[in-house]
Structure formats: C-alpha cells, structure tokens
Amino acid sequence: MTEVHTFDAVVVGGGPAGATAATALARLGRVVLLLDRAGRIKPCGGAIPPRLIRDFAIPDELLVAHVTAARMIAPSARQVDMPIDGGFVGMVDREVFDEFLRGRASSAGAERRTGTFTRITHDADGCAVVHYQTKDGEAAQVRTRVVVGADGARSAVARQSVAGADSIPCVFAYHEIVRSPPEGASDFAGSRCDVYYQGRLSPDFYGWVFPHGETASVGIGSARKGFRLRDAVSALRVTAGLDGVETVRREGAPIPLRPLRRWDNGRDVVLAGDAAGVVAPASGEGIYYAMEGGRLAAEAVEALCVTGDARVLRLARKRFMRAHGRVFWILGIMQWFWYSSDKRRERFVSICRDPDVQHLTWDAYMNKRLVRARPAAHMRIFLKDLAHLMGLVSA
C-alpha cells in the first residue's frame, strides 16, 4: 500500500488566508501541507492598506501602483475626490501577489501540492484524512491533526465540516483586467481609485476602476439574482472611457457578505479568509482580513497542537471579532442603508466631501482601527449624517 503522509496541518487553499496560515505554522516548526487548486485568480480590486504592508512584510516591488486618492461618483455623475494626506494605498496584481505568498510559505518550510480538495474522513485512530484529486486526475490522501479551510467563498471544507457554512449570503463580483490608457488619454488616473455608486451599474453595491500600473481592474458587485454583471461592466467601461482598450482577462466569483457564526467544527477544522466570511461589508475589502484571519487560524492550530484541546480552535474567530467585529457591524449598517437607493447614494457621496469624514475614513481604513482620538470630529460627523438623513441639507 502507498504510504499516507501525516502532517500537523493541511491548509486547503493557497490565497492570502491559506498562504499566510501555512507560512505562520511552518515558521513555528509545524509540518504543513499547502494544497492549492492552480489556475484560478480571484476577481479583486487589489488594494492593500499600509497596515497590511507593515504587518505582513510586503516588499515594495509587489506594489504595481501607489494610490493617493479615491474618487466617489454619485448617481448624478457628481464627483467627490478624497485625497490621502501624506500616505498611499498599495495596489497589487493578485496573480503575482498570491504566488509570492505561496512561495513564501514554501520557503518557510511548508510543502506545496497542486490538487482539488474532495472530502475529509477519519481513520480508525480518529485522525483526519484529507482526500484530494491531483492535477493529473488521480485520487490522493494525507493524514493530518488539523485542517485549515481557506478555499474561498462557498468553501467545500466549510460546507462539509462547519454548521451554517452552506447558507452564507454572497455578493457576486465580476471584473475585467484591461490595459491602462496613457495618462491624460481619458479620465483614468494611475494614482486614483474610482468608485461608482450608481444604481444603473449596481443596484445594491458599487462599480470600480482601480489602477494596476500597466493594467486596471474594472468591476461590478451585486447580490441581486439575475443582474447581468458583464453588461454592467461593459457600461462602466464606456462611462470611464475604457471601452476601447484591450481586455487582458476576465474573472468572476462570489464574495461573502458577513462572517460565519462559527469557524471551526470543534474537532479538527478551522476556517480562514473568504471561507470564514471575512470580507468587509460596504467596501468589499478582503485581502487584509484574509491574511489576518489566516494568522489567527495558525495561532489556534498551534494552540491545539500544544494542548490537544480542540476548544482552542474557537480562538480564531473570537480574536478576529474582538479586533474587527465592530467595524464589520458599522460597515454592514452603512451598506444596508446607503446602498438601498440612488437618492441615498447621492447623499452618501455628498457626505464624502466633508474633511472630517475623509480624514477619519482614511485613518480607519489604512490602520484598521476605529479612531477614538477626535471626539469633536465624530460629533460633527454624527450631526451632519443626521441632517442628511432627515433631509435638512441638500445632497
């Protein structure tokens, strides 16, 4: 019989969450397998904040663009610029970025294999057995103490192992990577992200044009069934003056709308990244939260390997929600309220003109924290929001 290798942890999925978890565990001396399905790139704007660059030591050469402003476009086509004062947001190409993270995991000592996860069983000793199909179509299996499910939204690991994972709501995202036009040839700017809050483009989310150096991501998200995302992206390209440029590739995928209530099975599985539902509402930001979730999943796996107590797997979600749960709650309310009609979208973009809103928004986004040091600014924003909600000021 073919020998079945045994690992401390098998990480299913080689995106930012899985690669980060594999790297962290390998650096702790654990025997780790990183199992990834090759040939897939997630549709993503590719924005990474300074906090991520610092915390996860991202080299500057991976940044294909430095964004110093965002432009918000209202249903009326009114534009509001939100400059970043003295800083920037990095932009990455997910194809290159994700492979760098997988390579770093391998350099740290994780074993990489290409394959598609099929199921988890348990042997006579109660050890988890991960079954997968190799790139050649052959059935294979490995034994492991713990499985980290980081295989994206609609995760096969999560749906098999964690209660409630099969009913997580999703936004469907679709984007086209296009050649960037020369500076000045259209309204496109290589150092600015454009965000379109227009119901004609997305009835419940937004459209975007994000610079990637020589290319750009032009995309739309929506949770509405039957909404034609490709047609909406075509319309967005016309609006942005990008309909005549070359299309490099097209990608689409579901993106979860909220974190799952549970990320582990109480025995030998813990989730991370999109599989756990950690994409920020309203903004759709996922890379930082995926990598943070991967790091916390690795901490929980290490605790299990040390103590043998499966209850410690709960720590991944507990620590994540303690740090970021309030932000997710606030952003969820924002998305539910401001994205519900073009009238509200118009007012939302209008609020973005406010210097206090701009400063606190960028500080919270770039540093991944709620800003508490300026109570007067928070009060002014609250009163202005209230005035907009009551219709006491014009949009």
Side-chain angles (χ1 to χ4, degrees):
M1 293 181 63
T2 302
E3 179 184 1
V4 179
H5 292 159
T6 301
F7 294 86
D8 292 320
V10 171
V11 181
V12 180
T20 300
T23 299
L25 286 165
R27 286 175 175 171
L28 289 169
R30 295 299 168 185
V31 182
V32 183
L33 171 64
L34 178 59
L35 179 67
D36 186 53
R37 183 181 65 181
R40 181 182 178 278
I41 309 169
K42 179 185 174 183
C44 176
I48 60 172
R51 172 78 181 270
L52 184 155
I53 296 171
R54 294 193 304 268
D55 287 2
F56 297 100
I58 303 303
D60 190 65
E61 57 264 27
L62 285 181
L63 305 183
V64 294
H66 292 68
V67 166
T68 57
R71 174 170 291 180
M72 325 296 270
I73 298 101
S76 65
R78 174 173 32 182
Q79 300 175 352
V80 172
D81 285 344
M82 297 181 64
I84 302 172
D85 185 17
F88 69 90
V89 173
M91 306 300 294
V92 296
D93 181 331
R94 285 292 300 271
E95 182 176 17
V96 177
F97 181 73
D98 289 16
E99 179 54 32
F100 164 81
L101 296 178
R102 290 189 288 268
R104 183 156 68 179
S106 178
S107 297
E111 180 178 337
R112 288 180 63 178
R113 296 187 190 178
T114 300
T116 301
F117 168 85
T118 55
R119 70 188 189 279
I120 299 170
T121 60
H122 293 85
D123 63 17
D125 296 329
C127 186
V129 179
V130 175
H131 301 257
Y132 66 97
Q133 189 175 60
T134 70
K135 60 182 178 180
D136 298 322
E138 298 179 355
Q141 61 187 48
V142 292
R143 300 171 76 248
T144 183
R145 295 180 69 179
V146 190
V147 178
V148 178
D151 49 335
R154 308 285 170 81
S155 158
V157 173
R159 283 185 281 115
Q160 178 182 332
S161 306
V162 179
D166 57 351
S167 59
I168 185 170
C170 290
V171 162
F172 290 86
Y174 169 75
H175 79 162
E176 297 178 356
I177 298 295
V178 304
R179 296 291 177 195
S180 297
E183 289 284 341
S186 67
D187 196 35
F188 174 84
S191 60
R192 187 190 69 225
C193 288
D194 292 345
V195 187
Y196 289 78
Y197 295 101
Q198 299 179 342
R200 69 182 184 87
L201 295 175
S202 173
D204 54 350
F205 208 58
Y206 63 80
W208 68 84
V209 177
F210 287 178
H212 287 179
E214 295 181 355
T215 62
S217 166
V218 186
I220 297 286
S222 176
R224 184 168 296 181
K225 292 183 178 180
F227 185 74
R228 299 177 65 86
L229 290 171
R230 289 197 176 213
D231 291 348
V233 168
S234 295
L236 175 54
R237 289 181 63 169
V238 171
T239 299
L242 299 174
D243 51 319
V245 299
E246 178 189 356
T247 302
V248 178
R249 66 177 189 263
R250 299 176 172 89
E251 295 143 3
I255 297 175
L257 277 174
R258 63 172 177 261
L260 290 174
R261 293 185 179 275
R262 182 156 186 171
W263 295 2
D264 71 281
N265 69 344
R267 180 178 182 180
D268 51 17
V269 172
V270 64
L271 307 177
D274 281 11
V278 291
V279 174
S283 69
E285 180 194 2
I287 301 178
Y288 170 78
Y289 296 113
M291 295 180 73
E292 175 73 352
R295 181 183 67 82
L296 293 172
E299 289 182 359
V301 169
E302 174 65 12
L304 173 58
C305 290
V306 170
T307 67
D309 185 351
R311 291 175 296 181
V312 297
L313 294 177
R314 301 176 189 172
L315 292 175
R317 187 184 192 279
K318 183 177 181 179
R319 290 171 175 170
F320 184 95
M321 298 305 291
R322 182 187 299 144
H324 306 292
R326 189 178 177 197
V327 170
F328 274 51
W329 179 73
I330 291 171
L331 291 175
I333 292 175
M334 285 179 56
Q335 179 175 330
W336 170 79
F337 184 83
W338 290 115
Y339 295 4
S340 61
S341 71
D342 271 355
K343 182 178 180 180
R344 290 180 177 177
R345 292 186 189 97
E346 194 74 36
R347 291 190 178 278
F348 174 70
V349 172
S350 181
I351 290 172
C352 292
R353 293 179 301 186
D354 186 271
D356 288 326
V357 170
Q358 294 186 9
H359 175 82
L360 295 177
T361 297
W362 282 125
D363 197 1
Y365 169 77
M366 295 173 75
N367 297 297
K368 292 293 165 275
R369 65 185 182 192
L370 290 175
V371 183
R372 304 178 188 276
R374 301 182 64 203
H378 282 283
M379 180 56 68
R380 288 196 299 270
I381 291 172
F382 171 76
L383 294 174
K384 291 168 186 175
D385 280 355
L386 189 62
H388 275 277
L389 292 174
M390 296 176 67
L392 300 178
V393 296
S394 62

